Amino acid sequence: MYQPQDTLRFLRHSLMLRYSLLLWVCSFLLALVCLWVRGALLSSMELPLMALLSGAGMALSHWGGMHLKMRPSWKPDVWIDSLALVHGLYWGWQASAGGLCLTLGIAYAVASCIALIPQWRSQLVACLPVLLVPVLANPGLPTQTLVELHLPLMSLILLASWQASNMAYRNLESLIDKRRLTTQLSRHRDQLESIVSRRTSELEAANKRLNDEVYLRQQVNQTLLKSEEQMNMAMAASGIGFWDWDIAGRRVYHSDQQRFFGQVTDVTDYIDLEAWVDVADRALVRRALRAHLKGRTRFYHARYRLHRPDADRPIWLEDSGRVITRDAQGRPLRMVGTRRDISKDMRLQEELRLSSSLFNNSPDGVFVLDASQRLRTCNRVFSQVIGRQKSQLVGNALFDVIRTEQRNRIAQGMVNNGRWQGDIIALRDGHHRFPMRLTLSAIRGTDGRTSHFLGIVRDLTEQQHTALELDYLHNYDKLTGLFNRAYFHQLLKQFETHEPLMSNQYAVAVLNLDRFKAINESLGQDIGDQLLRDVSARLNNLQDPVRSVARLGGDEFALLFDYGGDRQALDNALSAALEEVSRLSLIDEHELIVTASMGVCLVHRDNLHQLLNQAITAMGQARQRGGNKWLYYRQALSDKPAERRQLVADLSAATTTSQLSVDYQPKLNLSTGLIDSVEALVRWQHPERGPIEPEDFLPLAEEAGLIGRISDAVLQRACLDAARWQRQGLGDIAVSVNLSASQVYRSDLYDRVAMALKQSGLEAKYLELEVTEAMLMEDANHAQDFLNQLRSLGVRLTLDDFGTGFTSLNYLKRFPIQTLKIDRSFIQEWRPGESSPVIEAIMAMADSLKMEVVAEGVESREQLSYLKRLGCGHAQGYLISRPLPATELLTLIQHANLPQLYDHANRIH
């Protein structure tokens, strides 16, 4: 029979009572630290509470141990679990506050796992509150902290505590077994003596059998030695050496020491490899070896240079190995591996790298032909000499790439001699003749047959125009390597001197980066310069019909297009240029996305002296419309200074007369089928010129500083009309007004909106203000402030032209935006029977952010049906109605709201 003190349960309870004292003391000390950090050490009631709980735990640990000795059957784990749970709840609550208290809560969990190691259930009771309370608390820890720190760390602690508890359980079992075995051995010592006597005789018989086995093992060892010799011969033949490292004994066995280390004069079992390794490679070898010895990698692998005393230059070695024996603490004891001399391989790699560098960086154009004289590959210089991209050249026959009248003479020389060298006249772009030096050489295989041809070309134009070369060097921009403004002006001057000039052949574009100033000021000029270089490289890599790219200065670039009368090709090239610019740029760990505004001017006989100015004017109009788009220059208003001054005066007078009016474009509520909101759009009826489009006079107003007066007038008129419609019983018709960039940065915007609402009597909830992404991202902090001010009035806020800019989701969550307005370009790109990933993504994002969606530019029933299926809130476009004066709008609303919507084939109004 066993005593109660010899049972596993008694031993576990005894250890729990002994070590739990550590847990209560640790919890109290951690609470002191947490309260001190929070500044509540003397003022909070938590300190007496923790002192009481810790004192109760220490009393339980002390008196419980004495009580357990008197009553071994007593179970103290219920009391310990209860106290551990209370402490755990306290530390879970502290951890939910984050910061150092989170770290102290996790420290309490680790202490509970150590102190309660004999009992997994007690560990779980102590740790679960620390794990769950921060997750369930409101507010709890940020999601990022939960996912990246708290949950993984607590899960790792629970897993480690479970493993430690199992190990402790097994150790206690072993201890009990040892005690019982000791008792049994003492009781049965006499029996063991008789057994030993009997076993002695049996061992004598076994010794005889052992002698026979030893003889057999000797035979086996001889066979193994022979096999080892054969293996060493095979490894020597393959150039591979074997090493066996006794780490604790500092001994290394090398199968072929002399081949790798030369003639070592100091004969020893240990070679300090680090002393032989090249200084530049020691850190690499040390890191690889340390990582494997610490168990971070499965295998040790390193390539390094080694200096032998009998060699003039270092040799390259490649080591691979693995630790095969570790002690109980995981420390490595023995490691084996192989070593190979890779000097020849490294020399071949260096030769290949140098050959590749020579090929790619050669100042001459280099190309390779196959046996049938078709181009296999070429370097960048060859593409530049020929004037075509590499992808356009590969696979073409030699004389389809190099077009020359001397092709027969070259072909004859290649057949007769396998080599040809000389100067020829070649054609570039099908019509431009230029001098070239060409060298062709046949490359023969081992069988003597020609397998490839190597060609070298050099454009001799620069050599023939040495005087012009110096001038040419002054025509490049130092920062980007592009043509500079002076050179681009020279290009444009050629249009004035070359006759005849083909109409609809060329176009000039000016590109300006949106929000570049903000990036340059916030991240520094070095980042801005690198971004300009990145954008320049992308523009310079654009293919046909782009002919030239120049940097005019700052973040402004100019492009010359030879589109050959194909406007669609020109449009595609302009879109491709904007898409290239807007691709993500990674600069010094900064992920930057920048868009651009582009103005385009078509070259014709009447504007040869104004090409750049007209393109810049169109670019400015594109920027004013939100950026990230291109516009053609339109000759709507006069460019003459005197006439423009008169137009500015007329526009100033129009703001105080009835020349400026407001039209309204309805928005259809797709869920009710009613028109419940309209957008206010300004119009100018000039007394002499007639109607002038907003895209023509609004930029003029922006330049003249009149846009603020016009915007205020539109806001006041829209509020008055909307209030009047409600008084006439037309329903709760909301009106939306576009804010201009100048309004956004005015300090009195809040007061002007409030005044317009007060004077009109319109409730704020029926006024909707529209802003663009470009306005918000120009200064995000200011945008957040003025949007919050406007939202406090009760008005609704809409993000116009959404999707054309690059508002991040983080900013979108910060801004108090209630409605997203899908840009018309995405609606026009959609085709019936297909899906639009962009529109559907915007709908999904708006749904997750609890925002409404308005789709503008709806012009067909198919588009309307598709938007209804996606759950879009409102639609706006010519299918519903064109912009109408207030009187016609009232008629539309009175006779509509809108039963004839689905009876009309093409449009509503």
Side-chain angles (χ1 to χ4, degrees):
M1 296 295 293
Y2 301 110
Q3 297 297 324
Q5 290 81 356
D6 294 332
T7 62
L8 179 61
R9 184 179 66 182
F10 176 85
L11 191 56
R12 291 173 65 191
H13 289 165
S14 177
L15 290 175
M16 282 183 63
L17 289 170
R18 183 188 309 169
Y19 293 125
S20 62
L21 182 62
L22 170 66
L23 178 61
W24 318 129
V25 174
C26 182
S27 178
F28 181 72
L29 294 177
L30 291 175
L32 287 176
V33 176
C34 183
L35 291 174
W36 178 73
V37 171
R38 289 168 44 200
L41 182 62
L42 300 178
S43 60
S44 175
M45 291 300 296
E46 296 175 27
L47 182 61
L49 175 62
M50 286 305 298
L52 180 62
L53 291 175
S54 300
M58 288 185 283
L60 174 62
S61 300
H62 176 71
W63 296 107
M66 300 172 58
H67 185 67
L68 184 64
K69 291 180 181 179
M70 295 184 292
R71 297 187 60 185
S73 60
W74 179 57
K75 299 180 178 180
D77 49 354
V78 175
W79 300 96
I80 293 177
D81 289 353
S82 300
L83 276 174
L85 176 62
V86 174
H87 281 262
L89 289 171
Y90 171 79
W91 283 111
W93 173 72
Q94 291 288 3
S96 63
L100 181 60
C101 291
L102 171 60
T103 305
L104 297 176
I106 296 175
Y108 166 77
V110 174
S112 64
C113 292
I114 296 173
L116 305 177
I117 191 171
Q119 179 59 268
W120 160 244
R121 184 185 63 190
S122 300
Q123 292 175 323
L124 191 62
V125 167
C127 291
L128 272 180
V130 181
L131 172 65
L132 297 178
V133 169
V135 177
L136 301 177
N138 186 20
L141 291 175
T143 302
Q144 183 177 6
T145 305
L146 283 173
V147 174
E148 296 181 359
L149 175 64
H150 183 68
L151 292 179
L153 191 55
M154 287 302 302
S155 301
L156 182 62
I157 291 173
L158 286 175
L159 179 61
S161 66
W162 178 66
Q163 293 289 348
S165 178
N166 289 340
M167 185 181 297
Y169 189 90
R170 291 193 295 269
N171 289 339
L172 291 177
E173 286 183 330
S174 300
L175 181 60
I176 294 297
D177 291 339
K178 289 179 181 179
R179 289 181 178 179
R180 291 176 179 175
L181 286 174
T182 303
T183 304
Q184 290 179 357
L185 287 173
S186 64
R187 291 178 180 176
H188 302 290
R189 186 175 301 164
D190 294 337
Q191 296 178 4
L192 288 174
E193 289 178 356
S194 63
I195 293 173
V196 168
S197 166
R198 187 172 66 252
R199 291 293 184 184
T200 301
S201 60
E202 294 176 354
L203 284 173
E204 291 176 354
N207 282 335
K208 185 177 182 304
R209 292 194 300 272
L210 257 168
N211 291 331
D212 297 337
E213 291 180 4
V214 168
Y215 175 76
L216 180 60
R217 189 174 294 271
Q218 289 175 348
Q219 299 296 323
V220 172
N221 285 339
Q222 291 179 359
T223 304
L224 288 175
L225 289 173
K226 185 176 181 180
S227 299
E228 182 180 357
E229 182 180 357
Q230 293 174 345
M231 183 187 71
N232 288 334
M233 292 174 62
M235 294 178 67
S238 62
I240 298 176
F242 173 80
W243 50 269
D244 186 345
W245 182 16
D246 180 1
I247 300 175
R250 293 179 61 82
R251 292 187 300 273
V252 183
Y253 165 75
H254 299 275
S255 63
D256 198 348
Q257 178 173 301
Q258 183 174 354
R259 176 154 57 93
F260 295 107
F261 298 98
Q263 188 66 36
V264 181
T265 56
D266 184 13
V267 180
T268 177
D269 290 335
Y270 184 80
I271 295 178
D272 186 4
L273 182 65
E274 185 173 348
W276 294 60
V277 175
D278 189 86
V279 176
D281 298 334
R282 288 178 184 175
L284 181 146
V285 176
R286 194 182 300 116
R287 284 196 302 269
L289 186 60
R290 186 184 299 116
H292 180 64
L293 293 178
K294 292 184 177 181
R296 293 198 295 265
T297 58
R298 293 184 59 191
F299 296 96
Y300 158 69
H301 182 83
R303 287 184 173 185
Y304 55 89
R305 287 162 292 185
L306 184 136
H307 292 272
R308 289 174 34 170
D310 58 347
D312 296 333
R313 59 180 181 177
I315 63 172
W316 277 94
L317 297 181
E318 181 181 50
D319 280 6
S320 297
R322 184 179 181 182
V323 173
I324 61 173
T325 306
R326 295 181 182 269
D327 61 13
Q329 288 74 33
R331 291 189 293 266
L333 299 177
R334 185 183 179 193
M335 183 176 176
V336 298
T338 60
R339 178 171 290 124
R340 185 167 67 96
D341 188 341
I342 59 170
S343 300
K344 185 176 180 180
D345 295 343
M346 297 302 291
R347 284 195 297 272
L348 289 175
Q349 289 184 18
E350 180 67 13
E351 291 176 2
L352 288 174
R353 186 184 66 81
L354 292 175
S355 299
S356 176
S357 176
L358 179 63
F359 179 82
N360 293 319
N361 299 311
S362 171
D364 296 327
V366 183
F367 62 94
V368 178
L369 306 173
D370 59 17
S372 59
Q373 296 188 5
R374 290 189 174 273
L375 191 74
R376 290 288 302 275
T377 185
C378 65
N379 65 358
R380 178 179 55 84
V381 176
F382 181 76
S383 297
Q384 293 176 345
V385 170
I386 299 302
R388 296 163 65 187
Q389 298 293 328
K390 180 179 178 181
S391 59
Q392 299 173 314
L393 299 175
V394 173
N396 292 327
L398 170 63
F399 295 112
D400 290 338
V401 175
I402 302 177
R403 301 176 182 178
T404 176
E405 298 175 355
Q406 298 159 277
R407 57 187 300 174
N408 294 332
R409 183 163 60 93
I410 297 173
Q412 186 65 34
M414 291 297 297
V415 171
N416 296 336
N417 306 319
R419 176 181 174 83
W420 191 91
Q421 181 177 0
D423 296 343
I424 63 174
I425 300 297
L427 294 179
R428 182 185 291 127
D429 299 330
H431 63 277
H432 178 62
R433 297 164 62 87
F434 71 101
M436 172 195 292
R437 178 164 296 160
L438 173 64
T439 301
L440 288 171
S441 302
I443 301 176
R444 306 185 186 278
T446 56
D447 57 357
R449 297 182 179 180
T450 299
S451 60
H452 295 85
F453 294 93
L454 174 65
I456 301 175
V457 299
R458 177 177 295 178
D459 189 347
L460 300 179
T461 305
E462 294 185 3
Q463 295 183 7
Q464 295 182 359
H465 301 85
T466 306
L468 296 177
E469 183 177 2
L470 295 176
D471 295 335
Y472 183 78
L473 294 176
H474 295 291
N475 293 327
Y476 282 94
D477 178 63
K478 294 182 179 180
L479 176 64
T480 63
L482 297 177
F483 295 129
N484 57 19
R485 176 185 286 269
Y487 183 83
F488 197 77
H489 274 295
Q490 293 177 12
L491 286 179
L492 299 185
K493 282 287 185 182
Q494 296 177 7
F495 289 117
E496 303 176 21
T497 58
H498 284 67
E499 293 290 345
L501 180 65
M502 297 177 59
S503 300
N504 298 323
Q505 177 78 22
Y506 299 97
V508 177
V510 173
L511 181 148
N512 189 271
L513 301 182
D514 302 327
R515 298 176 49 242
F516 176 76
K517 180 180 179 182
I519 294 176
N520 207 32
E521 292 178 350
S522 60
L523 300 181
Q525 188 173 355
D526 291 340
I527 300 297
D529 289 346
Q530 183 58 43
L531 178 60
L532 290 176
R533 284 191 287 267
D534 194 8
V535 171
S536 301
R538 297 180 185 183
L539 294 176
N540 202 36
N541 289 331
L542 292 174
Q543 299 182 3
D544 291 340
V546 177
R547 281 290 170 264
S548 299
V549 181
R551 181 186 178 212
L552 301 181
D555 59 336
E556 196 168 71
F557 300 85
L559 298 91
L560 177 63
F561 295 86
D562 181 2
Y563 66 99
D566 188 351
R567 284 288 294 273
Q568 185 60 47
L570 178 58
D571 291 348
N572 294 340
L574 293 170
S575 299
L578 290 184
E579 184 176 348
E580 275 296 303
V581 171
S582 63
R583 284 194 296 109
L584 176 70
S585 296
L586 182 60
I587 301 176
D588 290 351
E589 301 181 355
H590 296 286
E591 294 184 355
L592 303 178
I593 296 179
V594 63
T595 59
S597 302
M598 187 183 297
V600 188
C601 172
L602 301 180
V603 179
H604 52 81
R605 295 184 183 276
D606 298 331
N607 68 345
L608 297 182
H609 299 282
Q610 302 173 354
L611 293 174
L612 207 55
N613 291 336
Q614 292 181 357
I616 292 174
T617 299
M619 180 271 295
Q621 294 173 355
R623 283 180 64 88
Q624 291 164 0
R625 296 189 185 185
N628 195 27
K629 62 180 63 177
W630 50 267
L631 292 177
Y632 285 104
Y633 174 79
R634 296 193 321 115
Q635 184 69 28
L637 299 178
S638 176
D639 289 332
K640 296 180 179 179
E643 294 186 11
R644 289 184 67 84
R645 285 196 297 271
Q646 183 59 47
L647 283 172
V648 170
D650 294 345
L651 184 57
S652 178
T655 59
T656 60
T657 63
S658 59
Q659 294 179 24
L660 292 181
S661 61
V662 178
D663 286 356
Y664 298 94
Q665 187 171 25
K667 300 179 189 176
L668 179 66
N669 189 319
L670 297 184
S671 61
T672 64
L674 302 176
I675 293 177
D676 58 6
S677 61
V678 295
E679 180 179 1
L681 302 170
V682 66
R683 297 290 185 262
W684 182 17
Q685 183 69 29
H686 194 278
E688 298 176 1
R689 296 173 177 262
I692 299 179
E693 294 296 327
E695 56 264 29
D696 292 328
F697 72 81
L698 286 180
L700 190 64
E702 191 81 37
E703 295 174 9
L706 300 174
I707 191 66
R709 290 161 56 182
I710 296 175
S711 301
D712 290 344
V714 173
L715 176 63
Q716 293 173 0
R717 173 48 54 191
C719 292
L720 289 171
D721 286 344
R724 178 168 50 84
W725 297 336
Q726 293 184 9
R727 290 194 298 270
Q728 292 175 352
L730 295 179
D732 297 332
I733 305 297
V735 63
S736 60
V737 178
N738 293 282
L739 294 181
S740 66
S742 61
Q743 280 181 297
V744 166
Y745 289 97
R746 283 167 52 177
S747 58
D748 61 346
L749 176 60
Y750 174 90
D751 297 332
R752 291 185 177 273
V753 174
M755 181 62 68
L757 292 172
K758 181 179 179 181
Q759 291 178 350
S760 64
L762 180 68
E763 291 187 53
K765 64 181 180 179
Y766 296 115
L767 175 61
E768 189 172 14
L769 301 177
E770 298 188 8
V771 294
T772 65
E773 290 181 274
M775 295 180 190
L776 300 185
M777 298 311 297
E778 186 72 25
D779 189 342
N781 293 328
H782 173 75
Q784 186 175 6
D785 292 339
F786 87 79
L787 288 179
N788 286 328
Q789 291 180 6
L790 294 177
R791 189 70 189 94
S792 66
L793 282 173
V795 301
R796 296 181 60 81
L797 299 175
T798 296
L799 190 57
D800 196 10
D801 298 336
F802 183 72
T804 60
F806 290 91
T807 305
S808 68
L809 183 60
N810 181 42
Y811 282 116
L812 199 59
K813 291 167 61 179
R814 284 172 50 189
F815 297 147
I817 299 295
Q818 296 161 287
T819 305
L820 298 180
K821 201 168 187 179
I822 302 176
D823 187 70
R824 65 177 65 249
S825 61
F826 299 119
I827 305 299
Q828 300 303 319
E829 290 172 359
W830 175 80
R831 296 292 179 267
E834 300 178 356
S835 61
S836 173
V838 175
I839 296 176
E840 295 179 6
I842 293 175
M843 292 296 303
M845 182 177 64
D847 182 64
S848 64
L849 295 175
K850 302 296 186 293
M851 293 182 178
E852 297 183 7
V853 177
V854 176
E856 60 179 350
V858 179
E859 298 178 358
S860 68
R861 286 172 50 86
E862 291 80 3
Q863 293 172 349
L864 190 67
S865 300
Y866 177 63
L867 292 170
K868 287 188 66 176
R869 288 198 306 271
L870 294 181
C872 182
H874 289 77
Q876 179 182 2
Y878 285 176
L879 176 67
I880 315 302
S881 173
R882 294 178 179 272
L884 300 173
T887 54
E888 296 182 26
L889 177 70
L890 293 180
T891 304
L892 174 64
I893 297 177
Q894 289 170 347
H895 291 82
N897 263 346
L898 271 187
Q900 68 269 36
L901 173 60
Y902 302 101
D903 298 332
H904 200 287
N906 295 316
R907 48 176 294 218
I908 299 303
H909 193 276

